[in-house]
Each structure stands twice: as structure tokens, then as C-alpha cells.
Amino acid sequence: MTSEDKPRKRRPYAPRVPIEQRREQLLDAALAVIVSEGYDRISIDAIAKRAGVARSVVYGAYDNLDTLLTALLDRQQAHAYDSLLATLPDSTDSSDPATFAAETVHRMSAMLHQDPDTWRLILSPPGNMPTVVRDRIEADRERFRRRVEVWLSHTLTGTDHDSLDPRVLAHALVACAEHFGRLALTAPGTFDPAHLIDQVRLILGTLWPRTR
């Protein structure tokens, strides 16, 4: 049999489905690639292979990889950002900010446990992220930092600690939260959540004791 006689390998056949269903399938496939192989391996080919379809099917749903990744971030971060905001203290009583901060760590721990894949998407090291992803995540991170800064400004006003800079503290607290969140996802068991919560209460309580 000559090479011309050999049957060609057929491309994956994708049954015809509604476009919205197809898009969700491809977003699920993209998320699975990122979670299991990292941003270095994300591509139209990788997504098509994971979804079991041809490249043309992916391009029929999304114009390019950036468009697909933006749609993925839209889907995952809409819920993630709301969940993140829900971890912030919701009480107007600012007399014990260290306890509030410890409660925030507790809520964040539960949030990571409930939706680890979304947070792997967001907390992956930025060095290998596509630009469209990195820019979007940084924009949402800055929005969250500003919310933390507003809460800190309110809490520090009129206290013996109003010389502390809320902007600097917000950057420090968000950076620490991201660091420990990344550890929780990539090296579970490194820190016991209960121990970490106690340490947050102790450290911030020393820096920032009850005001009354």
C-alpha cells in the first residue's frame, strides 16, 4: 500500500450543538488545560484536543485565543470577585479589626476550598500568563485592594493608629492573602488554616489592638 493509499486520520467529529452550549464546553476545556498544564500550554490546539473537537469548531465559537480567554475570565471572575468581596468584614464595629481580619482569612479559606479551579486560574504565577489574562486579573486585584483600603481608612479614623497608611496596609494584606492562597492550592497542608487564622489574629492584634 502506498502512502497515497493509506487512509487519512480523520479530524474529531463534533456533533452539532447550540452555540452557547459549545462555548461553555470550550471554556470548560480551556480551564481544564490551564489547571492541569498551566498557561504555558494553553492554545487553540490544546483546547480543541481537550474538548475532542477540530480547531475549526473552536474558531467557529471564538475569533481567537484572547477572545476565548476573556470569555473564560468573564465567566469565572464574575462569581470569584463577588465571593472575594464577601470575605471582607461587613460590620460597622471597628473596635477589633484583628478579629475581623482573622474572620476574613477563614472566609477566604472556605472560598478556595469551594472553587479551587477558578482560583488556580487567578492565582497562577503571572510570568507565564497571556497579556490579556494578566491585565484583567491585575485590574480586578486593584479594585479589591481599593475596597480593602476604604475599609482600613474607615477603621483607622479616630484611633491611636491613624498614622498607619491604609494604602500601604492594603497592598501588604492583599499580597499576603495571595501568597497564602497560592500555597493552599499548590502545597496543601503547608499551613493548617486554623493555625494561620490564629497567627493573623495575634500579629494584627499586636500591631493594631482593640480600640475599646
Side-chain angles (χ1 to χ4, degrees):
M1 180 181 292
T2 66
S3 59
E4 293 181 356
D5 295 327
K6 291 180 181 179
R8 293 182 178 178
K9 185 177 180 180
R10 294 184 178 181
R11 292 180 177 178
Y13 171 72
R16 192 175 295 275
V17 298
I19 186 62
E20 289 306 316
Q21 182 180 337
R22 177 68 71 202
R23 285 173 176 160
E24 286 298 305
Q25 176 198 18
L26 295 173
L27 296 183
D28 289 341
L31 180 59
V33 171
I34 293 168
V35 168
S36 64
E37 303 180 44
Y39 281 105
D40 286 336
R41 302 297 297 275
I42 194 69
S43 66
I44 293 295
D45 284 337
I47 294 168
K49 182 178 180 181
R50 183 62 66 107
V53 300
R55 285 167 50 91
S56 59
V57 173
V58 182
Y59 282 115
Y62 294 99
D63 292 339
N64 51 50
L65 182 60
D66 279 0
T67 303
L68 191 154
L69 290 175
T70 298
L72 177 61
L73 288 166
D74 285 341
R75 188 184 76 170
Q76 301 302 122
Q77 285 196 262
H79 172 69
Y81 189 72
D82 288 343
S83 298
L84 189 59
L85 289 182
T87 67
L88 290 177
D90 54 6
S91 172
T92 56
D93 179 8
S94 60
S95 63
D96 193 4
T99 294
F100 280 172
E103 177 60 24
T104 295
V105 173
H106 174 73
R107 293 177 184 178
M108 286 183 172
S109 178
M111 177 187 70
L112 291 173
H113 180 73
Q114 290 169 2
D115 192 6
D117 285 354
T118 291
W119 290 103
R120 287 189 180 93
L121 175 77
I122 295 169
L123 294 176
S124 292
N128 59 357
M129 281 183 181
T131 300
V132 65
V133 176
R134 185 170 57 251
D135 290 349
R136 172 65 176 278
I137 289 175
E138 178 54 38
D140 280 350
R141 179 185 292 115
E142 184 58 29
R143 282 201 298 155
F144 182 67
R145 275 198 296 252
R146 285 198 295 267
R147 291 292 292 268
V148 174
E149 182 181 341
V150 168
W151 177 75
L152 289 169
S153 298
H154 171 76
T155 303
L156 290 169
T157 300
T159 72
D160 295 336
H161 308 283
D162 57 5
S163 59
L164 292 172
D165 187 333
R167 184 165 179 261
V168 172
L169 278 176
H171 274 267
L173 291 175
V174 171
C176 285
E178 288 189 354
H179 171 73
F180 285 109
R182 195 173 292 117
L183 276 180
L185 293 171
T186 60
T190 302
F191 290 98
D192 175 63
H195 175 66
L196 186 58
I197 290 168
D198 286 342
Q199 288 296 298
V200 168
R201 183 180 287 110
L202 177 64
I203 294 169
L204 291 184
T206 301
L207 170 71
W208 196 357
R210 289 176 63 90
T211 57
R212 65 176 180 270

